[in-house]
Amino acid sequence: MTALTKPQPDGTADPSSEHAPGAQLHSPVIDWFDEHARDLPWRRPEAGAWGVMVSEFMLQQTPVNRVLPVYEQWLARWPRPADLAAEAPGEAVRAWGRLGYPRRALRLHGAAAAITERHGGDVPADHAQLLALPGIGEYTAAAVASFAYGQRHAVLDTNVRRVFARAVTGVQYPPNATTAAERRLARALLPEDERTAARWAAASMELGALVCTAKNESCHRCPIAAQCAWRLADKPAHEGPPRRGQTYAGTDRQVRGRLLAVLREAHSPVPQAILDRVWQEPVQRARALDGLVADGLVEPLPGGLYRLPMT
């Protein structure tokens, strides 16, 4: 195998090249995926488009092992969007448990309600209609259209962006936020055939999750190691802005999580005094509670009572 076509400064393939870079990547990555892909419930035919959508909401910033039990409980309780839409938003927050970033639960509930009202309870296949649903951005719309309906879309999550950054542009990490150049590169790498493009989207994502990981990458197991621009350049160290680390202990996120844990366990309104016990520092505790109310995750009631949102 030969090295990939050198990209232009903006990260896209050189259009004067005889072969676009994707042509050298598709078969080895897809063949690797056919052999090594994890058997995940949202990849099974019975998951359907709703199962794919639920998984995409849950997997944002959350590892697979934490998502699996919550996903299975969620689909058992709400096998169709209409089932979720018929419940109060607070029930979605309660069922979300400790997955983190619980606003995703409210967004998923809002999407389910819109699907029920606008599309007869069926997750739409049209990319524009998916994008018009509340709580769904470009990534989720492309992922559902690709993974559920086999369409040709560039699906750019953190894992895919890292694979493309290393294999094609020759850098260790992609930028902190997705750039226009990355989107152009992703579109340039898409196979023309729709079915192959959908398979490529899933395969490149799995490669980033299992092999081309953020730390301790396993180049000896990579199907495109011989073509990887970063590896061929002797793996130059990251020179961009510092990688953003995620802290939790002592942050407002931790306080919010503790407050929500109390409200999830309660099936009647909770007095302020009980919430005051979860965190000693009163200013931070009040700020966290106010933030939960502002985000629609907690509903204040007269008499200093609080509950998960009912409307």
Side-chain angles (χ1 to χ4, degrees), residues 172-196:
Q172 185 178 16
Y173 297 118
N176 284 334
T178 306
T179 65
E182 287 182 283
R183 294 188 178 94
R184 287 194 295 270
L185 174 60
R187 290 193 293 268
L189 291 172
L190 273 177
E192 289 299 323
D193 174 69
E194 200 167 45
R195 182 178 180 278
T196 306

mmCIF file with all atom_site columns, all heavy atoms in Angstrom, residues 172-196:
data_model
loop_
_atom_site.group_PDB
_atom_site.id
_atom_site.type_symbol
_atom_site.label_atom_id
_atom_site.label_alt_id
_atom_site.label_comp_id
_atom_site.label_asym_id
_atom_site.label_entity_id
_atom_site.label_seq_id
_atom_site.pdbx_PDB_ins_code
_atom_site.Cartn_x
_atom_site.Cartn_y
_atom_site.Cartn_z
_atom_site.occupancy
_atom_site.B_iso_or_equiv
_atom_site.pdbx_formal_charge
_atom_site.auth_seq_id
_atom_site.auth_comp_id
_atom_site.auth_asym_id
_atom_site.auth_atom_id
_atom_site.pdbx_PDB_model_num
ATOM 1   N N   . GLN A 1 172 ? -2.060  14.548 15.094 1.00 0.00 ? 172 GLN A N   1
ATOM 2   C CA  . GLN A 1 172 ? -2.468  13.626 16.147 1.00 0.00 ? 172 GLN A CA  1
ATOM 3   C C   . GLN A 1 172 ? -3.927  13.785 16.539 1.00 0.00 ? 172 GLN A C   1
ATOM 4   O O   . GLN A 1 172 ? -4.621  12.796 16.774 1.00 0.00 ? 172 GLN A O   1
ATOM 5   C CB  . GLN A 1 172 ? -1.578  13.817 17.380 1.00 0.00 ? 172 GLN A CB  1
ATOM 6   C CG  . GLN A 1 172 ? -1.839  12.810 18.493 1.00 0.00 ? 172 GLN A CG  1
ATOM 7   C CD  . GLN A 1 172 ? -0.900  13.010 19.665 1.00 0.00 ? 172 GLN A CD  1
ATOM 8   O OE1 . GLN A 1 172 ? -0.250  14.054 19.796 1.00 0.00 ? 172 GLN A OE1 1
ATOM 9   N NE2 . GLN A 1 172 ? -0.810  12.001 20.527 1.00 0.00 ? 172 GLN A NE2 1
ATOM 10  N N   . TYR A 1 173 ? -4.378  15.032 16.619 1.00 0.00 ? 173 TYR A N   1
ATOM 11  C CA  . TYR A 1 173 ? -5.739  15.290 17.059 1.00 0.00 ? 173 TYR A CA  1
ATOM 12  C C   . TYR A 1 173 ? -6.413  16.301 16.138 1.00 0.00 ? 173 TYR A C   1
ATOM 13  O O   . TYR A 1 173 ? -5.756  17.200 15.610 1.00 0.00 ? 173 TYR A O   1
ATOM 14  C CB  . TYR A 1 173 ? -5.758  15.852 18.487 1.00 0.00 ? 173 TYR A CB  1
ATOM 15  C CG  . TYR A 1 173 ? -5.215  14.921 19.529 1.00 0.00 ? 173 TYR A CG  1
ATOM 16  C CD1 . TYR A 1 173 ? -4.080  15.262 20.274 1.00 0.00 ? 173 TYR A CD1 1
ATOM 17  C CD2 . TYR A 1 173 ? -5.829  13.699 19.789 1.00 0.00 ? 173 TYR A CD2 1
ATOM 18  C CE1 . TYR A 1 173 ? -3.573  14.409 21.239 1.00 0.00 ? 173 TYR A CE1 1
ATOM 19  C CE2 . TYR A 1 173 ? -5.324  12.836 20.760 1.00 0.00 ? 173 TYR A CE2 1
ATOM 20  C CZ  . TYR A 1 173 ? -4.199  13.198 21.476 1.00 0.00 ? 173 TYR A CZ  1
ATOM 21  O OH  . TYR A 1 173 ? -3.701  12.351 22.432 1.00 0.00 ? 173 TYR A OH  1
ATOM 22  N N   . PRO A 1 174 ? -7.714  16.209 15.978 1.00 0.00 ? 174 PRO A N   1
ATOM 23  C CA  . PRO A 1 174 ? -8.443  17.239 15.239 1.00 0.00 ? 174 PRO A CA  1
ATOM 24  C C   . PRO A 1 174 ? -8.598  18.491 16.092 1.00 0.00 ? 174 PRO A C   1
ATOM 25  O O   . PRO A 1 174 ? -8.295  18.472 17.296 1.00 0.00 ? 174 PRO A O   1
ATOM 26  C CB  . PRO A 1 174 ? -9.807  16.578 14.991 1.00 0.00 ? 174 PRO A CB  1
ATOM 27  C CG  . PRO A 1 174 ? -9.986  15.661 16.165 1.00 0.00 ? 174 PRO A CG  1
ATOM 28  C CD  . PRO A 1 174 ? -8.604  15.145 16.481 1.00 0.00 ? 174 PRO A CD  1
ATOM 29  N N   . PRO A 1 175 ? -9.069  19.601 15.518 1.00 0.00 ? 175 PRO A N   1
ATOM 30  C CA  . PRO A 1 175 ? -9.321  20.804 16.319 1.00 0.00 ? 175 PRO A CA  1
ATOM 31  C C   . PRO A 1 175 ? -10.349 20.525 17.413 1.00 0.00 ? 175 PRO A C   1
ATOM 32  O O   . PRO A 1 175 ? -11.101 19.543 17.353 1.00 0.00 ? 175 PRO A O   1
ATOM 33  C CB  . PRO A 1 175 ? -9.862  21.808 15.295 1.00 0.00 ? 175 PRO A CB  1
ATOM 34  C CG  . PRO A 1 175 ? -9.390  21.302 13.973 1.00 0.00 ? 175 PRO A CG  1
ATOM 35  C CD  . PRO A 1 175 ? -9.347  19.813 14.086 1.00 0.00 ? 175 PRO A CD  1
ATOM 36  N N   . ASN A 1 176 ? -10.396 21.386 18.412 1.00 0.00 ? 176 ASN A N   1
ATOM 37  C CA  . ASN A 1 176 ? -11.349 21.199 19.509 1.00 0.00 ? 176 ASN A CA  1
ATOM 38  C C   . ASN A 1 176 ? -12.791 21.231 19.023 1.00 0.00 ? 176 ASN A C   1
ATOM 39  O O   . ASN A 1 176 ? -13.645 20.514 19.548 1.00 0.00 ? 176 ASN A O   1
ATOM 40  C CB  . ASN A 1 176 ? -11.136 22.259 20.587 1.00 0.00 ? 176 ASN A CB  1
ATOM 41  C CG  . ASN A 1 176 ? -9.901  21.967 21.446 1.00 0.00 ? 176 ASN A CG  1
ATOM 42  O OD1 . ASN A 1 176 ? -9.498  20.811 21.583 1.00 0.00 ? 176 ASN A OD1 1
ATOM 43  N ND2 . ASN A 1 176 ? -9.295  23.003 21.991 1.00 0.00 ? 176 ASN A ND2 1
ATOM 44  N N   . ALA A 1 177 ? -13.069 22.064 18.040 1.00 0.00 ? 177 ALA A N   1
ATOM 45  C CA  . ALA A 1 177 ? -14.418 22.144 17.467 1.00 0.00 ? 177 ALA A CA  1
ATOM 46  C C   . ALA A 1 177 ? -14.342 21.795 15.984 1.00 0.00 ? 177 ALA A C   1
ATOM 47  O O   . ALA A 1 177 ? -13.355 22.103 15.314 1.00 0.00 ? 177 ALA A O   1
ATOM 48  C CB  . ALA A 1 177 ? -14.992 23.549 17.650 1.00 0.00 ? 177 ALA A CB  1
ATOM 49  N N   . THR A 1 178 ? -15.394 21.161 15.488 1.00 0.00 ? 178 THR A N   1
ATOM 50  C CA  . THR A 1 178 ? -15.424 20.741 14.088 1.00 0.00 ? 178 THR A CA  1
ATOM 51  C C   . THR A 1 178 ? -15.338 21.956 13.168 1.00 0.00 ? 178 THR A C   1
ATOM 52  O O   . THR A 1 178 ? -16.049 22.947 13.355 1.00 0.00 ? 178 THR A O   1
ATOM 53  C CB  . THR A 1 178 ? -16.716 19.966 13.787 1.00 0.00 ? 178 THR A CB  1
ATOM 54  O OG1 . THR A 1 178 ? -16.836 18.893 14.721 1.00 0.00 ? 178 THR A OG1 1
ATOM 55  C CG2 . THR A 1 178 ? -16.688 19.400 12.375 1.00 0.00 ? 178 THR A CG2 1
ATOM 56  N N   . THR A 1 179 ? -14.477 21.887 12.171 1.00 0.00 ? 179 THR A N   1
ATOM 57  C CA  . THR A 1 179 ? -14.248 22.996 11.256 1.00 0.00 ? 179 THR A CA  1
ATOM 58  C C   . THR A 1 179 ? -14.878 22.727 9.897  1.00 0.00 ? 179 THR A C   1
ATOM 59  O O   . THR A 1 179 ? -15.207 21.584 9.555  1.00 0.00 ? 179 THR A O   1
ATOM 60  C CB  . THR A 1 179 ? -12.747 23.233 11.060 1.00 0.00 ? 179 THR A CB  1
ATOM 61  O OG1 . THR A 1 179 ? -12.178 22.080 10.406 1.00 0.00 ? 179 THR A OG1 1
ATOM 62  C CG2 . THR A 1 179 ? -12.049 23.455 12.395 1.00 0.00 ? 179 THR A CG2 1
ATOM 63  N N   . ALA A 1 180 ? -14.992 23.777 9.098  1.00 0.00 ? 180 ALA A N   1
ATOM 64  C CA  . ALA A 1 180 ? -15.496 23.628 7.735  1.00 0.00 ? 180 ALA A CA  1
ATOM 65  C C   . ALA A 1 180 ? -14.565 22.746 6.915  1.00 0.00 ? 180 ALA A C   1
ATOM 66  O O   . ALA A 1 180 ? -15.024 21.958 6.062  1.00 0.00 ? 180 ALA A O   1
ATOM 67  C CB  . ALA A 1 180 ? -15.651 25.004 7.085  1.00 0.00 ? 180 ALA A CB  1
ATOM 68  N N   . ALA A 1 181 ? -13.253 22.852 7.152  1.00 0.00 ? 181 ALA A N   1
ATOM 69  C CA  . ALA A 1 181 ? -12.299 22.013 6.417  1.00 0.00 ? 181 ALA A CA  1
ATOM 70  C C   . ALA A 1 181 ? -12.520 20.538 6.720  1.00 0.00 ? 181 ALA A C   1
ATOM 71  O O   . ALA A 1 181 ? -12.435 19.688 5.816  1.00 0.00 ? 181 ALA A O   1
ATOM 72  C CB  . ALA A 1 181 ? -10.869 22.420 6.780  1.00 0.00 ? 181 ALA A CB  1
ATOM 73  N N   . GLU A 1 182 ? -12.815 20.209 7.978  1.00 0.00 ? 182 GLU A N   1
ATOM 74  C CA  . GLU A 1 182 ? -13.097 18.815 8.331  1.00 0.00 ? 182 GLU A CA  1
ATOM 75  C C   . GLU A 1 182 ? -14.350 18.312 7.621  1.00 0.00 ? 182 GLU A C   1
ATOM 76  O O   . GLU A 1 182 ? -14.399 17.163 7.161  1.00 0.00 ? 182 GLU A O   1
ATOM 77  C CB  . GLU A 1 182 ? -13.275 18.683 9.839  1.00 0.00 ? 182 GLU A CB  1
ATOM 78  C CG  . GLU A 1 182 ? -11.999 18.790 10.645 1.00 0.00 ? 182 GLU A CG  1
ATOM 79  C CD  . GLU A 1 182 ? -12.268 18.598 12.119 1.00 0.00 ? 182 GLU A CD  1
ATOM 80  O OE1 . GLU A 1 182 ? -12.772 19.541 12.763 1.00 0.00 ? 182 GLU A OE1 1
ATOM 81  O OE2 . GLU A 1 182 ? -12.003 17.501 12.632 1.00 0.00 ? 182 GLU A OE2 1
ATOM 82  N N   . ARG A 1 183 ? -15.354 19.153 7.533  1.00 0.00 ? 183 ARG A N   1
ATOM 83  C CA  . ARG A 1 183 ? -16.578 18.737 6.854  1.00 0.00 ? 183 ARG A CA  1
ATOM 84  C C   . ARG A 1 183 ? -16.333 18.513 5.364  1.00 0.00 ? 183 ARG A C   1
ATOM 85  O O   . ARG A 1 183 ? -16.857 17.555 4.773  1.00 0.00 ? 183 ARG A O   1
ATOM 86  C CB  . ARG A 1 183 ? -17.687 19.780 7.067  1.00 0.00 ? 183 ARG A CB  1
ATOM 87  C CG  . ARG A 1 183 ? -18.149 19.884 8.516  1.00 0.00 ? 183 ARG A CG  1
ATOM 88  C CD  . ARG A 1 183 ? -19.377 20.784 8.653  1.00 0.00 ? 183 ARG A CD  1
ATOM 89  N NE  . ARG A 1 183 ? -19.840 20.841 10.026 1.00 0.00 ? 183 ARG A NE  1
ATOM 90  C CZ  . ARG A 1 183 ? -19.492 21.762 10.905 1.00 0.00 ? 183 ARG A CZ  1
ATOM 91  N NH1 . ARG A 1 183 ? -18.663 22.743 10.533 1.00 0.00 ? 183 ARG A NH1 1
ATOM 92  N NH2 . ARG A 1 183 ? -19.948 21.740 12.138 1.00 0.00 ? 183 ARG A NH2 1
ATOM 93  N N   . ARG A 1 184 ? -15.518 19.379 4.764  1.00 0.00 ? 184 ARG A N   1
ATOM 94  C CA  . ARG A 1 184 ? -15.189 19.189 3.344  1.00 0.00 ? 184 ARG A CA  1
ATOM 95  C C   . ARG A 1 184 ? -14.413 17.891 3.136  1.00 0.00 ? 184 ARG A C   1
ATOM 96  O O   . ARG A 1 184 ? -14.673 17.147 2.182  1.00 0.00 ? 184 ARG A O   1
ATOM 97  C CB  . ARG A 1 184 ? -14.386 20.387 2.834  1.00 0.00 ? 184 ARG A CB  1
ATOM 98  C CG  . ARG A 1 184 ? -15.203 21.658 2.662  1.00 0.00 ? 184 ARG A CG  1
ATOM 99  C CD  . ARG A 1 184 ? -14.450 22.697 1.848  1.00 0.00 ? 184 ARG A CD  1
ATOM 100 N NE  . ARG A 1 184 ? -13.241 23.162 2.527  1.00 0.00 ? 184 ARG A NE  1
ATOM 101 C CZ  . ARG A 1 184 ? -13.216 24.198 3.358  1.00 0.00 ? 184 ARG A CZ  1
ATOM 102 N NH1 . ARG A 1 184 ? -14.333 24.873 3.636  1.00 0.00 ? 184 ARG A NH1 1
ATOM 103 N NH2 . ARG A 1 184 ? -12.070 24.572 3.920  1.00 0.00 ? 184 ARG A NH2 1
ATOM 104 N N   . LEU A 1 185 ? -13.475 17.631 4.028  1.00 0.00 ? 185 LEU A N   1
ATOM 105 C CA  . LEU A 1 185 ? -12.707 16.400 3.926  1.00 0.00 ? 185 LEU A CA  1
ATOM 106 C C   . LEU A 1 185 ? -13.612 15.179 4.079  1.00 0.00 ? 185 LEU A C   1
ATOM 107 O O   . LEU A 1 185 ? -13.503 14.210 3.317  1.00 0.00 ? 185 LEU A O   1
ATOM 108 C CB  . LEU A 1 185 ? -11.613 16.377 4.998  1.00 0.00 ? 185 LEU A CB  1
ATOM 109 C CG  . LEU A 1 185 ? -10.805 15.074 5.102  1.00 0.00 ? 185 LEU A CG  1
ATOM 110 C CD1 . LEU A 1 185 ? -10.089 14.776 3.791  1.00 0.00 ? 185 LEU A CD1 1
ATOM 111 C CD2 . LEU A 1 185 ? -9.815  15.146 6.257  1.00 0.00 ? 185 LEU A CD2 1
ATOM 112 N N   . ALA A 1 186 ? -14.502 15.214 5.042  1.00 0.00 ? 186 ALA A N   1
ATOM 113 C CA  . ALA A 1 186 ? -15.410 14.087 5.264  1.00 0.00 ? 186 ALA A CA  1
ATOM 114 C C   . ALA A 1 186 ? -16.271 13.824 4.035  1.00 0.00 ? 186 ALA A C   1
ATOM 115 O O   . ALA A 1 186 ? -16.506 12.671 3.655  1.00 0.00 ? 186 ALA A O   1
ATOM 116 C CB  . ALA A 1 186 ? -16.284 14.352 6.488  1.00 0.00 ? 186 ALA A CB  1
ATOM 117 N N   . ARG A 1 187 ? -16.743 14.895 3.406  1.00 0.00 ? 187 ARG A N   1
ATOM 118 C CA  . ARG A 1 187 ? -17.549 14.709 2.185  1.00 0.00 ? 187 ARG A CA  1
ATOM 119 C C   . ARG A 1 187 ? -16.691 14.162 1.047  1.00 0.00 ? 187 ARG A C   1
ATOM 120 O O   . ARG A 1 187 ? -17.149 13.323 0.268  1.00 0.00 ? 187 ARG A O   1
ATOM 121 C CB  . ARG A 1 187 ? -18.201 16.033 1.787  1.00 0.00 ? 187 ARG A CB  1
ATOM 122 C CG  . ARG A 1 187 ? -19.312 16.487 2.734  1.00 0.00 ? 187 ARG A CG  1
ATOM 123 C CD  . ARG A 1 187 ? -20.133 17.622 2.134  1.00 0.00 ? 187 ARG A CD  1
ATOM 124 N NE  . ARG A 1 187 ? -19.348 18.839 1.998  1.00 0.00 ? 187 ARG A NE  1
ATOM 125 C CZ  . ARG A 1 187 ? -19.282 19.793 2.923  1.00 0.00 ? 187 ARG A CZ  1
ATOM 126 N NH1 . ARG A 1 187 ? -19.925 19.653 4.074  1.00 0.00 ? 187 ARG A NH1 1
ATOM 127 N NH2 . ARG A 1 187 ? -18.563 20.889 2.724  1.00 0.00 ? 187 ARG A NH2 1
ATOM 128 N N   . ALA A 1 188 ? -15.429 14.620 0.965  1.00 0.00 ? 188 ALA A N   1
ATOM 129 C CA  . ALA A 1 188 ? -14.542 14.129 -0.090 1.00 0.00 ? 188 ALA A CA  1
ATOM 130 C C   . ALA A 1 188 ? -14.222 12.646 0.087  1.00 0.00 ? 188 ALA A C   1
ATOM 131 O O   . ALA A 1 188 ? -13.980 11.935 -0.894 1.00 0.00 ? 188 ALA A O   1
ATOM 132 C CB  . ALA A 1 188 ? -13.247 14.941 -0.095 1.00 0.00 ? 188 ALA A CB  1
ATOM 133 N N   . LEU A 1 189 ? -14.220 12.174 1.331  1.00 0.00 ? 189 LEU A N   1
ATOM 134 C CA  . LEU A 1 189 ? -13.902 10.774 1.612  1.00 0.00 ? 189 LEU A CA  1
ATOM 135 C C   . LEU A 1 189 ? -15.094 9.838  1.450  1.00 0.00 ? 189 LEU A C   1
ATOM 136 O O   . LEU A 1 189 ? -14.924 8.616  1.476  1.00 0.00 ? 189 LEU A O   1
ATOM 137 C CB  . LEU A 1 189 ? -13.360 10.652 3.041  1.00 0.00 ? 189 LEU A CB  1
ATOM 138 C CG  . LEU A 1 189 ? -11.979 11.257 3.307  1.00 0.00 ? 189 LEU A CG  1
ATOM 139 C CD1 . LEU A 1 189 ? -11.670 11.233 4.791  1.00 0.00 ? 189 LEU A CD1 1
ATOM 140 C CD2 . LEU A 1 189 ? -10.906 10.522 2.535  1.00 0.00 ? 189 LEU A CD2 1
ATOM 141 N N   . LEU A 1 190 ? -16.292 10.365 1.289  1.00 0.00 ? 190 LEU A N   1
ATOM 142 C CA  . LEU A 1 190 ? -17.480 9.515  1.199  1.00 0.00 ? 190 LEU A CA  1
ATOM 143 C C   . LEU A 1 190 ? -17.471 8.664  -0.068 1.00 0.00 ? 190 LEU A C   1
ATOM 144 O O   . LEU A 1 190 ? -17.273 9.191  -1.167 1.00 0.00 ? 190 LEU A O   1
ATOM 145 C CB  . LEU A 1 190 ? -18.747 10.375 1.196  1.00 0.00 ? 190 LEU A CB  1
ATOM 146 C CG  . LEU A 1 190 ? -19.364 10.761 2.526  1.00 0.00 ? 190 LEU A CG  1
ATOM 147 C CD1 . LEU A 1 190 ? -20.561 11.684 2.284  1.00 0.00 ? 190 LEU A CD1 1
ATOM 148 C CD2 . LEU A 1 190 ? -19.804 9.535  3.310  1.00 0.00 ? 190 LEU A CD2 1
ATOM 149 N N   . PRO A 1 191 ? -17.712 7.368  0.048  1.00 0.00 ? 191 PRO A N   1
ATOM 150 C CA  . PRO A 1 191 ? -17.918 6.560  -1.157 1.00 0.00 ? 191 PRO A CA  1
ATOM 151 C C   . PRO A 1 191 ? -19.143 7.051  -1.919 1.00 0.00 ? 191 PRO A C   1
ATOM 152 O O   . PRO A 1 191 ? -20.092 7.568  -1.331 1.00 0.00 ? 191 PRO A O   1
ATOM 153 C CB  . PRO A 1 191 ? -18.156 5.152  -0.591 1.00 0.00 ? 191 PRO A CB  1
ATOM 154 C CG  . PRO A 1 191 ? -17.554 5.175  0.774  1.00 0.00 ? 191 PRO A CG  1
ATOM 155 C CD  . PRO A 1 191 ? -17.754 6.565  1.278  1.00 0.00 ? 191 PRO A CD  1
ATOM 156 N N   . GLU A 1 192 ? -19.120 6.882  -3.220 1.00 0.00 ? 192 GLU A N   1
ATOM 157 C CA  . GLU A 1 192 ? -20.239 7.342  -4.038 1.00 0.00 ? 192 GLU A CA  1
ATOM 158 C C   . GLU A 1 192 ? -21.480 6.489  -3.821 1.00 0.00 ? 192 GLU A C   1
ATOM 159 O O   . GLU A 1 192 ? -22.597 6.991  -3.791 1.00 0.00 ? 192 GLU A O   1
ATOM 160 C CB  . GLU A 1 192 ? -19.851 7.335  -5.522 1.00 0.00 ? 192 GLU A CB  1
ATOM 161 C CG  . GLU A 1 192 ? -18.860 8.417  -5.900 1.00 0.00 ? 192 GLU A CG  1
ATOM 162 C CD  . GLU A 1 192 ? -19.405 9.817  -5.635 1.00 0.00 ? 192 GLU A CD  1
ATOM 163 O OE1 . GLU A 1 192 ? -20.631 10.036 -5.854 1.00 0.00 ? 192 GLU A OE1 1
ATOM 164 O OE2 . GLU A 1 192 ? -18.624 10.685 -5.206 1.00 0.00 ? 192 GLU A OE2 1
ATOM 165 N N   . ASP A 1 193 ? -21.293 5.183  -3.688 1.00 0.00 ? 193 ASP A N   1
ATOM 166 C CA  . ASP A 1 193 ? -22.418 4.274  -3.496 1.00 0.00 ? 193 ASP A CA  1
ATOM 167 C C   . ASP A 1 193 ? -23.037 4.502  -2.120 1.00 0.00 ? 193 ASP A C   1
ATOM 168 O O   . ASP A 1 193 ? -22.331 4.555  -1.103 1.00 0.00 ? 193 ASP A O   1
ATOM 169 C CB  . ASP A 1 193 ? -21.940 2.821  -3.617 1.00 0.00 ? 193 ASP A CB  1
ATOM 170 C CG  . ASP A 1 193 ? -23.024 1.823  -3.275 1.00 0.00 ? 193 ASP A CG  1
ATOM 171 O OD1 . ASP A 1 193 ? -23.996 1.709  -4.050 1.00 0.00 ? 193 ASP A OD1 1
ATOM 172 O OD2 . ASP A 1 193 ? -22.907 1.167  -2.210 1.00 0.00 ? 193 ASP A OD2 1
ATOM 173 N N   . GLU A 1 194 ? -24.352 4.641  -2.077 1.00 0.00 ? 194 GLU A N   1
ATOM 174 C CA  . GLU A 1 194 ? -25.036 4.997  -0.834 1.00 0.00 ? 194 GLU A CA  1
ATOM 175 C C   . GLU A 1 194 ? -24.841 3.943  0.247  1.00 0.00 ? 194 GLU A C   1
ATOM 176 O O   . GLU A 1 194 ? -24.525 4.258  1.401  1.00 0.00 ? 194 GLU A O   1
ATOM 177 C CB  . GLU A 1 194 ? -26.525 5.225  -1.113 1.00 0.00 ? 194 GLU A CB  1
ATOM 178 C CG  . GLU A 1 194 ? -27.209 6.043  -0.043 1.00 0.00 ? 194 GLU A CG  1
ATOM 179 C CD  . GLU A 1 194 ? -28.582 6.534  -0.485 1.00 0.00 ? 194 GLU A CD  1
ATOM 180 O OE1 . GLU A 1 194 ? -29.342 5.737  -1.062 1.00 0.00 ? 194 GLU A OE1 1
ATOM 181 O OE2 . GLU A 1 194 ? -28.887 7.715  -0.235 1.00 0.00 ? 194 GLU A OE2 1
ATOM 182 N N   . ARG A 1 195 ? -25.022 2.684  -0.091 1.00 0.00 ? 195 ARG A N   1
ATOM 183 C CA  . ARG A 1 195 ? -24.893 1.613  0.902  1.00 0.00 ? 195 ARG A CA  1
ATOM 184 C C   . ARG A 1 195 ? -23.464 1.547  1.434  1.00 0.00 ? 195 ARG A C   1
ATOM 185 O O   . ARG A 1 195 ? -23.237 1.376  2.637  1.00 0.00 ? 195 ARG A O   1
ATOM 186 C CB  . ARG A 1 195 ? -25.298 0.280  0.287  1.00 0.00 ? 195 ARG A CB  1
ATOM 187 C CG  . ARG A 1 195 ? -25.251 -0.891 1.262  1.00 0.00 ? 195 ARG A CG  1
ATOM 188 C CD  . ARG A 1 195 ? -25.704 -2.193 0.609  1.00 0.00 ? 195 ARG A CD  1
ATOM 189 N NE  . ARG A 1 195 ? -25.661 -3.306 1.541  1.00 0.00 ? 195 ARG A NE  1
ATOM 190 C CZ  . ARG A 1 195 ? -24.555 -3.992 1.843  1.00 0.00 ? 195 ARG A CZ  1
ATOM 191 N NH1 . ARG A 1 195 ? -23.409 -3.672 1.278  1.00 0.00 ? 195 ARG A NH1 1
ATOM 192 N NH2 . ARG A 1 195 ? -24.606 -4.997 2.706  1.00 0.00 ? 195 ARG A NH2 1
ATOM 193 N N   . THR A 1 196 ? -22.490 1.677  0.540  1.00 0.00 ? 196 THR A N   1
ATOM 194 C CA  . THR A 1 196 ? -21.092 1.657  0.970  1.00 0.00 ? 196 THR A CA  1
ATOM 195 C C   . THR A 1 196 ? -20.771 2.861  1.842  1.00 0.00 ? 196 THR A C   1
ATOM 196 O O   . THR A 1 196 ? -20.023 2.760  2.824  1.00 0.00 ? 196 THR A O   1
ATOM 197 C CB  . THR A 1 196 ? -20.160 1.634  -0.253 1.00 0.00 ? 196 THR A CB  1
ATOM 198 O OG1 . THR A 1 196 ? -20.528 0.542  -1.103 1.00 0.00 ? 196 THR A OG1 1
ATOM 199 C CG2 . THR A 1 196 ? -18.705 1.471  0.161  1.00 0.00 ? 196 THR A CG2 1
#
